[in-house]
């Protein structure tokens, strides 16, 4: 965030005065040890102010923590379990690591009335995940963030933040600051041809975007991403602007997805949907999106929607085997396909060699809003928009039946760090014949 948070006065939250008791005050050492770690003196003042008020949605989370013995223990112990070693003194944002849940609540209260600055040095677009990177890696943190009550309250908190990010007040980060602005030189270098590819007005304030979310869910200009082979139903196109993460064949109904290799487990991924059995022994392709990527989804095939719905899940869960790692969202991606908030869109492809397939978008931490834009029985053309992600980075899977003999383009098989970003609507794979030249 930039600028004093207090300047926004929680515009979308009906504030009710909630006094903090003296024993609710945060651990002062978090600020006093090295306040220069904070880039906003106003936030330091708010976090040490005994007369501070909490917004209702954050107070609800505090009440849950303090009125449920198990949850209270988990939220207390997750901070105690962070090692007291120099490498754990700061979080991924470079700020001193929060060491108690009361200070965490004040941080959350600040986050939901601000928009994330552009920043290449930290978890871009993930201000909550940055402070939870270490707590959620502890034994108690892993348990806490799989708790249904906890996730219910986090969902409320994220919805409150989403309301701010959809408001005009969130546009202050859509500026031309060369290092911190989403429309500055550094950010635009990661989004080449921005004004040419996306619907915007560079001559207008904030490029004409009405909110930070409007910028994040920006539309492509007509012709910016033409659909590859629109009339060839054997061609499967890339549903998102994304980089390959993993490709797996012969995926089973059940597997130990929580173990180190994070093997896919179809019944868990598809939440025991009645169609799950159709995919036993099939293929899973997973890819991920950065915060600077285009975040709308497009149909990978022409066909008819068999079923489409959202599946609530966890928001800040991480794979137990990842440990204390600043890049935990990325390294937990396969695990998250089983436990995180996600959506399932089952499509009966027009090409019988493809048949039934599933597109499964998965929310990651702050980005847990999967907006499905299609419904059962609807016809979709290859490349047609079918939904979108909101508010952060994200991942998705394409799931094929075992009888679907799909061959992926070479770039799609190069998963892992440094994978190339493949354009949406470009050819991803083909069935029924030799693979078409993608060059």
């Amino acid at each position: 965030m930039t600028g004093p948070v207090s300047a926004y006065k929680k515009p979308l939250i009906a504030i009710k005065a909630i006094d903090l008791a003296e024993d609710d005050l945060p651990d002062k050492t978090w600020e006093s040890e090295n306040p220069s770690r904070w880039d906003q003196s106003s936030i330091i003042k708010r976090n040490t102010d005994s007369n501070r008020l909490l917004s209702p949605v954050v107070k609800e989370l505090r009440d849950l923590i303090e009125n449920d013995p198990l949850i209270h223990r988990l939220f207390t112990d997750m901070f105690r379990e962070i090692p007291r070693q120099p490498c754990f003194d700061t979080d991924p944002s470079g700020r001193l690591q929060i060491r108690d849940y009361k200070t965490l609540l004040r941080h959350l209260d600040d986050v939901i009335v601000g928009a994330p600055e552009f920043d290449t040095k930290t978890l871009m677009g993930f201000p909550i995940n940055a402070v939870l990177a270490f707590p959620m890696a502890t034994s108690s943190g892993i348990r806490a963030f799989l708790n249904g009550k906890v996730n219910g309250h986090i969902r409320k908190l994220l919805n409150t933040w989403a309301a701010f990010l959809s408001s005009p007040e969130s546009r202050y980060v859509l500026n031309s600051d060369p290092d911190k602005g989403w429309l500055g030189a550094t950010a635009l270098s990661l989004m080449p041809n921005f004004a040419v590819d996306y619907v915007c007005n560079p001559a207008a304030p904030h490029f004409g975007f009405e909110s930070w979310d409007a910028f994040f869910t920006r539309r492509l200009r007509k012709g910016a991403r033409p659909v590859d082979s629109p009339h060839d139903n054997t061609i499967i196109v890339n549903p998102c602007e994304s980089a390959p993460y993993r490709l797996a064949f012969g995926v089973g109904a059940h597997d130990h997805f929580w173990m180190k290799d994070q093997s896919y487990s179809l019944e868990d991924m598809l939440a025991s949907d009645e169609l799950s059995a159709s995919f036993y022994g099939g293929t899973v392709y997973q890819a991920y999106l950065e915060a600077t990527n285009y975040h709308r989804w497009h149909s990978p095939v022409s066909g008819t929607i068999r079923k489409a719905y959202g599946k609530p899940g966890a928001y800040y869960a991480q794979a137990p085997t990842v440990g204390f790692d600043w890049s935990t969202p990325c390294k937990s991606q396969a695990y998250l396909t089983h436990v995180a908030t996600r959506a399932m869109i089952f499509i009966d492809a027009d090409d019988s060699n493809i048949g039934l397939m599933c597109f499964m978008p998965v929310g990651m931490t702050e980005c847990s809003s999967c907006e499905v834009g299609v419904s059962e029985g609807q016809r979709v053309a290859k490349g047609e928009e079918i939904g979108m992600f909101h508010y952060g980075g994200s991942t998705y899977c394409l799931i094929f039946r075992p009888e679907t003999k799909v061959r992926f383009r070479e770039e799609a098989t190069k998963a892992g760090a440094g994978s190339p970003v493949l354009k949406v609507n470009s050819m991803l794979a083909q069935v029924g014949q030799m693979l078409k030249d993608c060059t």
Side-chain angles (χ1 to χ4, degrees):
M1 301 177 212
T2 113
V5 174
S6 58
Y8 297 95
K9 298 181 181 179
K10 301 183 187 289
L12 298 175
I13 303 173
I15 292 295
K16 178 181 178 182
I18 303 167
D19 294 322
L20 297 180
E22 186 64 30
D23 60 0
D24 283 329
L25 294 179
D27 177 5
K28 300 295 182 61
T29 60
W30 182 67
E31 297 91 1
S32 62
E33 286 177 358
N34 187 355
S36 65
R37 290 287 185 176
W38 277 98
D39 57 8
Q40 294 184 41
S41 59
S42 60
I43 292 180
I44 299 175
K45 183 178 185 300
R46 285 163 61 83
N47 277 332
T48 56
D49 185 358
S50 61
N51 296 315
R52 166 121 184 236
L53 304 178
L54 286 179
S55 59
V57 70
V58 177
K59 181 185 179 297
E60 286 184 27
L61 178 57
R62 185 188 73 176
D63 290 345
L64 171 71
I65 293 171
E66 297 184 346
N67 294 326
D68 186 303
L70 172 61
I71 295 174
H72 184 257
R73 190 187 82 192
L74 294 176
F75 269 80
T76 300
D77 288 350
M78 71 169 72
F79 292 99
R80 292 175 176 172
E81 292 167 9
I82 301 172
R84 290 282 182 174
Q85 299 172 12
C87 59
F88 294 97
D89 286 346
T90 57
D91 66 28
S93 69
R95 297 168 173 170
L96 287 178
Q97 175 61 52
I98 289 176
R99 290 284 178 172
D100 65 274
Y101 74 80
K102 294 170 185 176
T103 304
L104 171 66
L105 292 174
R106 281 142 192 84
H107 177 76
L108 296 177
D109 206 46
D110 291 321
V111 167
I112 62 176
V113 290
E117 286 183 336
F118 173 81
D119 186 354
T120 59
K121 301 183 184 67
T122 63
L123 292 168
M124 189 195 311
F126 293 84
I128 299 175
N129 191 82
V131 299
L132 290 179
F134 292 152
M136 72 184 190
T138 65
S139 175
S140 294
I142 289 170
R143 293 179 62 193
F145 292 111
L146 287 175
N147 183 282
K149 293 180 182 178
V150 171
N151 281 298
H153 280 72
I154 290 177
R155 180 165 58 250
K156 291 182 181 179
L157 185 140
L158 292 178
N159 285 340
T160 300
W161 191 31
F164 178 85
L165 294 177
S166 298
S167 73
E169 287 84 356
S170 67
R171 294 181 297 179
Y172 68 95
V173 295
L174 302 180
N175 61 61
S176 59
D177 183 289
D179 298 316
K180 297 182 178 181
W182 286 93
L183 300 175
T186 303
L188 291 177
S189 70
L190 299 177
M191 300 177 285
N193 302 314
F194 190 94
V196 174
D197 287 348
Y198 299 108
V199 177
C200 63
N201 180 5
H206 315 294
F207 275 35
F209 293 112
E210 297 181 354
S211 66
W212 189 85
D213 184 57
F215 159 78
F216 186 80
T217 60
R218 57 192 176 273
R219 293 182 178 276
L220 287 166
R221 294 189 187 276
K222 185 176 181 180
R225 297 292 188 273
V227 180
D228 198 319
S229 306
H231 304 297
D232 184 350
N233 288 334
T234 69
I235 301 294
I236 300 166
V237 298
N238 199 28
C240 300
E241 198 103 336
S242 53
Y245 179 74
R246 182 180 287 185
L247 180 59
F249 300 95
V251 178
H254 295 280
D255 211 327
H256 299 158
F257 63 87
W258 57 90
M259 300 300 284
K260 187 173 183 179
D261 61 357
Q262 299 180 40
S263 299
Y264 295 121
S265 177
L266 286 168
E267 279 292 333
D268 297 289
M269 295 173 72
L270 298 175
S272 298
D273 188 279
E274 62 184 1
L275 298 175
S276 297
S278 301
F279 299 96
Y280 293 173
T283 301
V284 174
Y285 169 78
Q286 185 173 0
Y288 65 96
L289 294 74
E290 299 285 359
T292 51
N293 290 144
Y294 171 71
H295 275 78
R296 291 175 181 261
W297 322 327
H298 293 248
S299 182
V301 296
S302 293
T304 302
I305 304 299
R306 174 89 68 95
K307 188 185 291 189
Y309 62 95
K311 168 64 179 173
Y315 294 94
Y316 290 93
Q318 77 158 55
T321 56
V322 170
F324 297 104
D325 192 313
W326 287 5
S327 59
T328 182
C330 184
K331 293 184 178 179
S332 295
Q333 282 188 69
Y335 172 80
L336 292 175
T337 64
H338 305 82
V339 302
T341 296
R342 54 201 185 276
M344 287 83 157
I345 301 180
F346 295 92
I347 307 173
D348 285 309
D350 287 347
D351 190 286
S352 60
N353 290 314
I354 300 174
L356 180 67
M357 63 162 296
C358 181
F359 168 66
M360 188 180 77
V362 182
M364 293 172 60
T365 59
E366 275 86 334
C367 179
S368 291
S369 178
C370 298
E371 182 182 337
V372 177
V374 290
S375 57
E376 182 178 342
Q378 181 177 334
R379 284 282 307 167
V380 291
K382 181 165 55 179
E384 181 178 340
E385 186 179 317
I386 58 175
M388 71 187 82
F389 289 115
H390 292 268
Y391 325 118
S394 33
T395 188
Y396 71 89
C397 291
L398 291 179
I399 307 173
F400 300 94
R401 300 173 305 145
E403 52 266 51
T404 302
K405 305 306 179 184
V406 57
R407 290 190 280 272
F408 289 83
R409 60 187 286 185
E410 182 180 357
E411 295 90 338
T413 65
K414 296 178 179 178
S419 300
V421 173
L422 306 182
K423 291 184 177 181
V424 66
N425 291 335
S426 65
M427 178 187 172
L428 180 68
Q430 189 170 22
V431 295
Q433 54 185 302
M434 295 299 293
L435 192 63
K436 171 188 166 183
D437 185 1
C438 305
T439 58

